[in-house]
Amino acid sequence: MTDATPSQPELSIFTVDTLLKYMGNDDKALAIVSKIVRDACLPRMTPFDEAGAALREDRLAEAGKIFHGLRGSIGALGAKRLVAASLKLEQAIAERQTGQIPSLFAALQSEYQLVLREADDWLKRHAPPAI
């Protein structure tokens, strides 16, 4: 386990149960949450492609903004492990800890791929078909 991956069992990869509950836990809530999940996951790996290019070109502030935005949109899906990994990477970027950035980037990318897989699975099992 890398130091970017929290070991606490309470940190989730993906869960929209709380979001569904707050929205009424009915068919309407399911439709809205399904749209939120689809929209949040729509960019797929594009943010990592863009942030990776920014890091290689020493545009650290731009990379940090990309990860911050990703953390906000995906964090709303109960992706606590991704949020923790993103915070570590964002901090390393802000502090220009260039030696730590590659491993933290890889750990965050791995967490994001897990979120995408779990979100896709959740959509297949629960979501009404996309319009």
Side-chain angles (χ1 to χ4, degrees):
M1 184 175 301
T2 69
D3 79 299
T5 305
S7 61
Q8 300 97 326
E10 68 274 5
L11 295 183
S12 59
I13 295 172
F14 169 89
T15 180
V16 291
D17 296 343
T18 302
L19 186 56
L20 276 168
K21 179 182 166 189
Y22 286 137
M23 298 192 72
N25 208 21
D26 57 12
D27 289 341
K28 183 177 179 181
L30 183 61
I32 292 168
V33 171
S34 296
K35 181 169 179 9
I36 291 169
V37 171
R38 279 191 191 95
D39 290 350
C41 296
L42 185 63
R44 306 309 288 182
M45 297 308 293
T46 301
F48 282 88
D49 296 340
E50 293 171 351
L55 289 172
R56 285 187 299 279
E57 296 166 7
D58 201 32
R59 294 180 283 123
L60 299 184
E62 184 177 335
K65 286 179 184 178
I66 292 169
F67 293 126
H68 181 78
L70 182 72
R71 175 170 49 95
S73 64
I74 300 298
L77 306 180
K80 293 180 180 180
R81 288 175 33 168
L82 180 131
V83 168
S86 184
L87 284 170
K88 286 185 179 187
L89 176 56
E90 289 173 58
Q91 182 176 2
I93 290 170
E95 295 173 0
R96 300 189 70 82
Q97 297 174 352
T98 55
Q100 293 183 357
I101 291 173
S103 64
L104 293 171
F105 179 90
L108 179 58
Q109 187 173 33
S110 177
E111 286 297 328
Y112 184 62
Q113 289 170 332
L114 289 173
V115 169
L116 291 177
R117 279 197 295 268
E118 288 205 8
D120 289 344
D121 183 57
W122 183 87
L123 286 167
K124 287 177 190 167
R125 290 182 288 116
H126 296 97
I131 297 174

